[in-house]
Amino acid sequence: MYLTRKEEKIYDGEFGWAYQTAMKILVRLGDLFGASKLIPIKSAHISGVSYKTLGDAPIDFLKATAETCPRVRVPSTLNPCGFDSDYLVTKFPEKLRKKQALILNLYTQIGVVPALTCTPYYLKTPKNGWHLASAESSAVVYTNSVLGAWTNREGSPSALAAALVGKVPDYGVHRPENRQPSIVVKVETELANEAEFGALGVCVGKMLKDEVPVFQGLPANVKGDELKQLGAGLASSGMISIFHYKPSPTKGLERVAVTKSDVRNAMENLSANVGTPDLVFVGCPHCSLGEVKAVADLVRDKKVRREFWVCTSRFVKEKAMEHVRVIEKAGGHVLCDTCAIVTWLKELGVKVMLTNSAKAAYYSPTMNRVDAVLAPLNECVETALKLQR
Amino acid sequence: MKTLKGRTIVPGKRRGKALVSTKPISFLGGIDPDSGKVIEKNHDLAGENIKDKILCFPCGHGSTVGSYVLYSLASKGFAPRAIVNQIADPVVVVGAIIAEIPMVDKIDVQKIPNGTEIEVDADKGLVRLLEDS
């Protein structure tokens, strides 16, 4: 890989251990995947935040990094953590709260903004053609496919390294030729709701691993929130970084078809055949303003009768206060900074979670050991309004 | 003496006993960060300790946070002396970089007899089998 003189100095340690280690990570990965140089990025989004998911693993490394007082070179944000600061925080022992606070402190010490959301693109929407480094897989797919900004599927350490250096190696989908469709996915059924978009994603992600699919047969007026669910599903079960949904040249490409029964099977596979849900969870990935409003419209002047969470970013919550008040008046909780997957769900006594997110339903059984049921938003809310038996 | 030729990932030269696995390793959840013991159930190395061994396995898998586990192991003295992989994946590569563990890949790890003395010359991308088999 070609390095400038300044980059070489960083690599040789002239600016200290943290920058040197960051540069080594970028250069080694770049060499492995055939990069030719480093290119500047506009922002970075870092995963590896929730103490529930990570345990103590990153603490030693983050401490060593923060000790040499480096600063991130580009605006950098964090993924959600283990609890929100109003509701769930009160339910966990001090030891967990302290460890989570320590992780957040170490990140903020080096200048990372604790946005604590998996949808940083609602706070500041990347422009078409921008290069970024994102380590949140659902945001990677949304950013590349819907917003037209460019990011590889980074890991927690490589996104942190990119933030410190302000650059990434130019491999993968930072190259135009790797963003071209490699396979046609013909959707031979009408998708009825966002849960089915997510289920389609999980189903196709499993089939394709790391290809670049172009979808045919999606409605022309498909919504951003539906594409968000599709992308989150794709990223959960596969290694996909980008998909296409607008008509594009497909001559000579391999074709696969997804039928009504494929989507129905995917929905069923993501739903455990179990008793009545004790938690209804909406907001994986974190809700947009429109999604918070949709929930509010469904619960207005009604009463939810079991635990009901709507997860979003603080930024969106502040903009959605009129809808938040409606949801809270109905007895629901609008939670920021966290979600059902990265909190201690089992320890909260949850046995069965009902959600409209295929991604959450995909991860919950393994990451939380909590059974999940996948259903569209209106059915989720209907259940939330019913008396729990 | 047999020599296997691979590729340098993290330079350095170390000698030690080979601990060879046929299965991928996930450092997050698979290795106890407070001892170096393999704790993943049904793993062919379950119960073994990677401390001071030359850890040979096909590739890594699982969460990218696994890189941080390698760093923690090294800072507590429980890290392997070197890593030999068939295919280097980003999780293990980044872990070896930040933990400063010499590493080579593109080696058929099944050609390394488990428990024998080997030398990893990562500067040259070589693995030397020091015992006759």
Side-chain angles (χ1 to χ4, degrees), chain A residues 66-107:
Chain A
E67 228 164 59
T68 61
C69 301
R71 296 287 293 182
V72 293
R73 290 296 150 112
V74 291
S76 303
T77 44
L78 283 184
N79 240 7
C81 72
F83 43 74
D84 71 308
S85 53
D86 299 317
Y87 180 58
L88 295 180
V89 66
T90 61
K91 298 179 186 285
F92 299 117
E94 197 186 354
K95 186 183 159 253
L96 294 186
R97 295 204 306 264
K98 277 194 165 161
K99 289 277 192 176
Q100 182 64 79
L102 171 63
I103 294 173
L104 296 185
N105 270 336
L106 290 168
Y107 278 120

Side-chain angles (χ1 to χ4, degrees), chain A residues 100-323:
Chain A
Q100 182 64 79
L102 171 63
I103 294 173
L104 296 185
N105 270 336
L106 290 168
Y107 278 120
T108 50
Q109 267 179 51
I110 61 170
V112 184
V113 176
L116 307 178
T117 180
C118 50
T119 56
Y121 43 83
Y122 293 142
L123 280 66
K124 186 170 169 55
T125 308
K127 293 215 169 88
N128 195 52
W130 279 11
H131 291 275
L132 329 170
S134 175
E136 161 54 41
S137 69
S138 73
V140 167
V141 179
Y142 192 82
T143 299
N144 281 312
S145 316
V146 182
L147 304 176
W150 301 21
T151 172
N152 276 329
R153 214 181 140 109
E154 301 289 350
S156 173
S158 65
L160 177 61
L164 286 170
V165 174
K167 295 178 181 178
V168 289
D170 67 342
Y171 68 88
V173 293
H174 290 292
R175 297 184 169 197
E177 65 269 27
N178 296 332
R179 301 174 68 84
Q180 298 308 313
S182 64
I183 187 162
V184 179
V185 178
K186 184 125 204 309
V187 183
E188 295 179 341
T189 172
E190 228 167 88
L191 300 169
N193 50 60
E194 77 290 355
E196 290 195 358
F197 271 89
L200 171 71
V202 168
C203 160
V204 173
K206 239 178 237 169
M207 270 160 40
L208 300 188
K209 305 287 182 239
D210 62 349
E211 303 247 23
V212 180
V214 51
F215 286 95
Q216 290 181 346
L218 298 184
N221 60 348
V222 59
K223 293 191 209 106
D225 290 331
E226 292 167 334
L227 295 171
K228 178 171 78 170
Q229 288 299 332
L230 173 61
L234 286 169
S236 305
S237 62
M239 294 298 289
I240 282 168
S241 311
I242 176 170
F243 68 85
H244 297 267
Y245 62 98
K246 291 175 186 160
S248 41
T250 57
K251 207 178 154 202
L253 294 186
E254 192 192 330
R255 290 170 176 270
V256 292
V258 180
T259 62
K260 195 179 178 76
S261 73
D262 290 334
V263 175
R264 198 187 309 126
N265 285 343
M267 289 284 291
E268 277 168 18
N269 287 339
L270 290 164
S271 298
N273 195 1
V274 285
T276 162
D278 39 23
L279 169 69
V280 178
F281 163 55
V282 177
C284 168
H286 274 174
C287 282
S288 65
L289 183 59
E291 289 172 314
V292 179
K293 179 180 182 300
V295 174
D297 289 345
L298 289 168
V299 300
R300 194 180 305 274
D301 300 327
K302 295 179 178 144
K303 202 85 210 143
V304 300
R305 291 164 193 271
R306 65 188 85 197
E307 197 72 10
F308 180 50
W309 298 355
V310 179
C311 291
T312 186
S313 58
R314 261 168 289 152
F315 176 82
V316 168
K317 184 176 177 179
E318 275 164 27
K319 287 176 116 185
M321 274 323 285
E322 54 172 316
H323 311 302

Side-chain angles (χ1 to χ4, degrees), chain B residues 13-114:
Chain B
K13 203 168 166 179
R14 300 281 170 83
R15 193 185 256 233
K17 261 203 171 62
L19 181 63
V20 185
S21 168
T22 58
K23 289 192 170 181
I25 293 179
S26 167
F27 284 90
L28 185 70
I31 309 285
D32 175 15
D34 293 316
S35 68
K37 216 167 131 177
V38 180
I39 50 174
E40 188 177 330
K41 279 178 198 157
N42 305 321
H43 200 281
D44 60 355
L45 297 185
E48 299 271 2
N49 199 308
I50 64 170
K51 177 179 187 285
D52 289 334
K53 302 277 171 38
I54 309 276
L55 186 59
C56 310
F57 57 105
C59 59
H61 75 129
S63 167
T64 61
V65 176
S67 313
Y68 296 136
V69 176
L70 267 168
Y71 180 87
S72 289
L73 286 166
S75 62
K76 291 173 194 154
F78 301 132
R81 279 188 199 165
I83 291 174
V84 180
N85 271 180
Q86 218 129 336
I87 307 160
D89 84 306
V91 181
V92 183
V93 172
V94 172
I97 293 167
I98 63 181
E100 294 172 7
I101 302 169
M103 173 174 176
V104 294
D105 83 331
K106 301 205 166 174
I107 298 277
D108 182 356
V109 294
Q110 303 319 319
K111 286 190 177 150
I112 303 170
N114 192 20

Side-chain angles (χ1 to χ4, degrees), chain A residues 363-374:
Chain A
Y363 279 123
S364 176
T366 52
M367 287 187 65
N368 306 81
R369 278 173 281 119
V370 167
D371 286 321
V373 179
L374 177 63

